[in-house]
Amino acid sequence: MSSQSVRRLTVAQALVRFLSAQYTERDGVRRRLVAGTWGIFGHGNVAGIGQALVEYRQEMPYHQGRNEQAMVHAAVGYARQLDRLSAQAVTTSIGPGATNLVTGAALATVNRLPVLLLPGDSFANRIPDPVLQQLEHTQYGDVSVNDALRPVSRWFDRITRPEALIPSALQAMRVLADPAETGAVTLALPQDVQTEAYDWPEEFFAERVWHVRRPAPEAAELAAAAEAVRTARRPLIIAGGGVHHSEAEPALRALVEATGIPVASTQAGKGSLRHDHPADLGGVGHTGTAIADDIARTADLVIGVGTRYTDFTTASSTLFAAPGVRFLNLNITGSDAHKLGARTLVGDARASLEALAQAVAGHRVAPEYEAEYRAGKERWERVVDAAYAADDTDRPTQTQVLGALDSVVGEDDVLINAAGSLPGDLHKLWRARSPRQYHLEYGYSCMGYEIPASIGVRMAAPDRPVWALVGDGTYLMMPTEIVTAVQEGVNINLLLIQNHGYASIGGLSSEVGGERYGTAYRYRAADGSFTGDPLPVDLAANAASLGMDVLRAETVRELREALAAARASDRPTCVYVETDPTPTAPDAQAWWDVPVAETASREAAVEARKSYERHLGDRRRHL
Ligand SMILES: Cc1ncc(C[n+]2csc(CCOP(=O)(O)OP(=O)(O)O)c2C)c(N)n1
Ligand SMILES: [Mg+2]
């Protein structure tokens, strides 16, 4: 060790220098693993990481955010757009800046998307304890608020001595670049340690390329999988986010075209086939299309590709209803592959789909089956047409807003959404024209994701028009990064849908006996409920005050024109529309389990419970 040449730097300088030399490589293409660092400074990082970011500002681009959670959302949007092959870091002070990361970290980890978190931490030397914002746990001396990040991180470490950075930073990179393990990665950095100098071996700063592997499936699993496909009469592929992460869309299409097996998609997987491909049945599950759910109910083999099978996909364990239905799961993660008692095909989605296509060469489903699902797809197209159709002079309903957007976007536009009533409408109705167009964060379904994520997406794809689709509730939760988009000149479009509260949860509330209580943004009425007039809140003026150009639309025609103008503009632009609440979205085609009060004094809940109990018997364990 003593003969190695060394470089004397602080821990923070060494980390930033190290990060700027890390690369990923997949299929021969090299990208920066950590391409930039978002940061909000406080006493817990300004002198350490903050100083290092100035020192290395050529090597490591810095982006200024407004809210730590939002910075993680931006980084997550960036990583997803780049198929997890490039990520960003987020630096925070200690205390509240650090705990603001928790929601973003959970979102990243749930969605299996890489982000590097660098929260400051209280002094390792403990001399000034308690430093401003320190927790001071009375039982555990080594616990700080950053320990709240442990359960939501795929790698967590606290760097309490300079040299501990070397193995920990290497592990952090390994996890970020590992397609099976990736998620939030946290290196908690005590504020004193950040500024300590150390003699680092030069090799620590050498360029390092992390190969993102595409493991091929095992021969025995492949043979069993092929046999399952060959003997199935009504197979159905469920495409999840793993198809996109692996860039497996062409392999999926090739398998589908050779075999005639139809594809239904989860929120994360939508766009795996183009919407007009005859085998694309659209979304599946609680927010799925009628044809996807009908085929799912009668399928004898469900082939999950890169899916986690959330309750929205399985209609809370009620969807796959055929007696004797079997599952075959292609997944890079063993814990997902084994779900629903499936035959497993563990490996990269693209490699596995290609291998499976070869192994079932010559096999094709019966023509009657193809005719059946194609006819169902045609029927659903008419449902979409009806939900989109509108008179130019009408105030649009929400589905008509989507119709207007559909008429304006091109192949490459990216739509970003996460929560509210939009995810369901989009999953049922959106006609995805390209694999990266449909960007729904529905693993954590986090209100507030959309605006910051759209900044990350646009940074990753500067030539693509990006649209953050938000309800009024979501807007109010996190409009902060509009200022960031304006400052950084990131040209995002914001489609802001005003319906005076939580339309989605209001609807759910009335179904489960909650009487829409607390779900509208209205004045309090005499009986204490919020059923008075809408509030005199002007969200369009708010967006304008944060620096966006704002276009207000009242009619369908004005909306189309505003959307086209926003798309053509080179400034961040908000299109604001108040919607007509008349329901024009298709009904749910499958159930969702939201337990209802077993005992209640109010009639609405008593009735809701009766209806709930009628569904319980449809739940099924697939073992
Ligand atoms: C951070 C967060 N808090 C709460 C929820 C629960 N939730 C889901 S949708 C929703 C309401 C969204 O309101 P809005 O954005 O106006 O959309 P709308 O339902 O009106 O379409 C709420 C509160 C959530 N998903 N995320
Ligand atoms: Mg709303």
Side-chain angles (χ1 to χ4, degrees):
M1 265 194 193
S2 55
S3 65
Q4 282 180 319
S5 70
V6 295
R7 197 187 306 195
R8 190 156 179 85
L9 297 174
T10 69
V11 168
Q13 290 160 356
L15 176 56
V16 172
R17 180 78 194 73
F18 166 83
L19 291 177
S20 57
Q22 307 303 306
Y23 294 84
T24 63
E25 174 279 318
R26 186 167 76 181
D27 306 329
V29 182
R30 223 168 95 142
R31 294 178 181 80
R32 275 283 289 268
L33 173 50
V34 181
T37 299
W38 290 88
I40 294 178
F41 299 114
H43 62 284
N45 63 339
V46 69
I49 295 285
Q51 193 281 332
L53 285 171
V54 205
E55 190 112 358
Y56 291 108
R57 64 187 189 281
Q58 303 305 334
E59 291 85 353
M60 175 61 77
Y62 160 69
H63 312 295
Q64 187 180 2
R66 269 74 203 166
N67 172 300
E68 290 84 359
Q69 179 187 325
M71 295 194 291
V72 186
H73 294 338
V76 165
Y78 176 89
R80 170 157 168 188
Q81 180 65 28
L82 293 177
D83 305 320
R84 317 192 295 185
L85 298 170
S86 184
Q88 293 176 328
V90 179
T91 168
T92 76
S93 191
I94 69 167
T99 48
N100 266 357
L101 294 174
V102 175
T103 298
L107 183 152
T109 291
V110 167
N111 286 287
R112 318 275 166 83
L113 293 167
V115 58
L116 176 63
L117 306 179
L118 305 173
D121 212 326
S122 39
F123 282 73
N125 70 23
R126 312 268 173 92
I127 296 170
D129 280 14
V131 62
L132 176 69
Q133 303 169 327
Q134 183 169 337
L135 177 65
E136 268 204 303
H137 201 287
T138 53
Q139 193 177 358
Y140 302 113
D142 63 346
V143 162
S144 83
V145 294
N146 285 341
D147 288 273
L149 286 160
R150 283 180 191 269
V152 290
S153 297
R154 300 304 306 264
W155 171 258
F156 176 97
D157 204 353
R158 181 177 285 117
I159 310 300
T160 53
R161 292 179 58 89
E163 59 270 45
L165 179 68
I166 295 176
S168 192
L170 290 168
Q171 281 297 342
M173 298 303 105
R174 182 192 70 74
V175 174
L176 283 175
D178 186 315
E181 287 188 44
T182 198
V185 165
T186 303
L187 297 179
L189 302 165
Q191 67 176 97
D192 52 344
V193 179
Q194 284 180 46
T195 62
E196 266 173 51
Y198 183 76
D199 292 324
W200 306 93
E202 273 297 342
E203 289 105 307
F204 185 50
F205 306 115
E207 275 188 14
R208 214 170 282 264
V209 181
W210 300 85
H211 172 64
V212 181
R213 65 182 76 88
R214 291 188 175 280
E218 204 193 64
E221 284 198 334
L222 182 60
E227 178 61 17
V229 172
R230 284 180 183 281
T231 52
R233 287 178 307 107
R234 299 177 65 84
L236 169 67
I237 291 173
I238 307 246
V243 175
H244 293 316
H245 302 328
S246 158
E247 299 171 280
E249 300 90 354
L252 177 68
R253 193 172 62 242
L255 175 71
V256 163
E257 288 176 356
T259 60
I261 301 173
V263 175
S265 50
T266 71
Q267 288 279 17
K270 200 169 150 88
S272 292
L273 283 186
R274 223 188 111 98
H275 72 93
D276 51 4
H277 192 285
D280 181 53
L281 307 185
V284 68
H286 176 60
T287 51
T289 68
I291 183 60
D293 286 356
D294 283 350
I295 296 291
R297 285 190 186 93
T298 55
D300 60 352
L301 180 69
V302 176
I303 307 168
V305 186
T307 176
R308 302 161 52 226
Y309 286 108
T310 75
D311 63 347
F312 265 69
T313 300
T314 67
S316 301
S317 304
T318 62
L319 189 62
F320 307 117
V325 58
R326 302 296 300 270
F327 296 84
L328 165 65
N329 290 338
L330 282 61
N331 209 296
I332 197 154
T333 308
S335 62
D336 287 324
H338 92 108
K339 287 176 178 172
L340 304 176
R343 272 179 206 288
T344 56
L345 193 59
V346 175
D348 168 66
R350 192 181 85 182
S352 302
L353 285 165
E354 285 170 354
L356 190 59
Q358 268 195 4
V360 299
H363 172 74
R364 194 166 180 94
V365 299
E368 302 75 40
Y369 183 49
E370 274 188 75
E372 178 189 336
Y373 70 68
R374 284 184 184 218
K377 177 179 171 61
E378 276 312 305
R379 284 195 300 279
W380 190 259
E381 290 302 326
R382 304 292 78 79
V383 173
V384 180
D385 290 341
Y388 279 4
D391 281 341
D392 269 4
T393 52
D394 284 352
R395 179 177 289 289
T397 65
Q398 184 159 288
T399 68
Q400 292 165 349
V401 170
L402 297 184
L405 187 61
D406 177 77
S407 72
V408 166
V409 302
E411 288 291 304
D412 286 340
D413 293 46
V414 183
L415 275 55
I416 297 133
N417 181 245
S421 55
L422 277 166
D425 289 358
L426 286 162
H427 199 211
K428 288 192 196 96
L429 302 175
W430 189 258
R431 290 168 166 155
R433 296 159 164 77
S434 60
R436 300 290 168 277
Q437 175 154 90
Y438 188 87
H439 183 129
L440 251 287
E441 186 284 292
Y442 216 61
Y444 212 47
S445 186
C446 184
M447 289 168 75
Y449 172 77
E450 296 88 345
I451 296 172
S454 71
I455 296 174
V457 170
R458 177 81 183 187
M459 284 174 142
D463 300 328
R464 290 186 165 212
V466 301
W467 299 88
L469 273 48
V470 304
D472 53 318
T474 293
Y475 179 84
L476 283 169
M477 191 141 323
M478 197 163 277
T480 51
E481 294 333 285
I482 288 175
V483 179
T484 303
V486 170
Q487 177 180 38
E488 298 256 0
V490 181
N491 184 12
I492 59 167
N493 299 306
L494 171 60
L495 173 52
L496 171 47
I497 298 181
Q498 171 65 279
N499 59 16
H500 304 287
Y502 305 157
S504 52
I505 306 297
L508 177 63
S509 172
S510 68
E511 276 170 41
V512 299
E515 305 179 41
R516 294 189 168 262
Y517 195 59
T519 61
Y521 289 162
R522 288 171 181 273
Y523 279 111
R524 202 183 269 281
D527 66 353
S529 65
F530 298 98
T531 50
D533 286 338
L535 305 177
V537 172
D538 188 344
L539 299 182
N542 184 272
S545 79
L546 297 178
M548 282 197 124
D549 290 349
V550 176
L551 304 166
R552 294 174 190 255
E554 304 234 328
T555 65
V556 170
R557 180 188 298 121
E558 284 173 18
L559 176 62
R560 252 194 337 264
E561 288 168 1
L563 293 169
R567 191 168 184 274
S569 165
D570 57 7
R571 286 208 74 239
T573 305
C574 168
V575 175
Y576 174 87
V577 62
E578 178 160 346
T579 45
D580 174 343
T582 309
T584 49
D587 289 339
Q589 306 292 318
W591 190 55
W592 185 36
D593 189 346
V594 178
V596 175
E598 208 168 346
T599 174
S601 61
R602 294 175 71 92
E603 192 51 28
V606 174
E607 284 307 312
R609 178 71 196 189
K610 283 185 199 153
S611 144
Y612 177 70
E613 285 179 3
R614 282 195 289 277
H615 287 284
L616 290 178
D618 299 337
R619 293 180 303 182
R620 188 161 163 196
R621 286 198 178 87
H622 299 284
L623 302 171

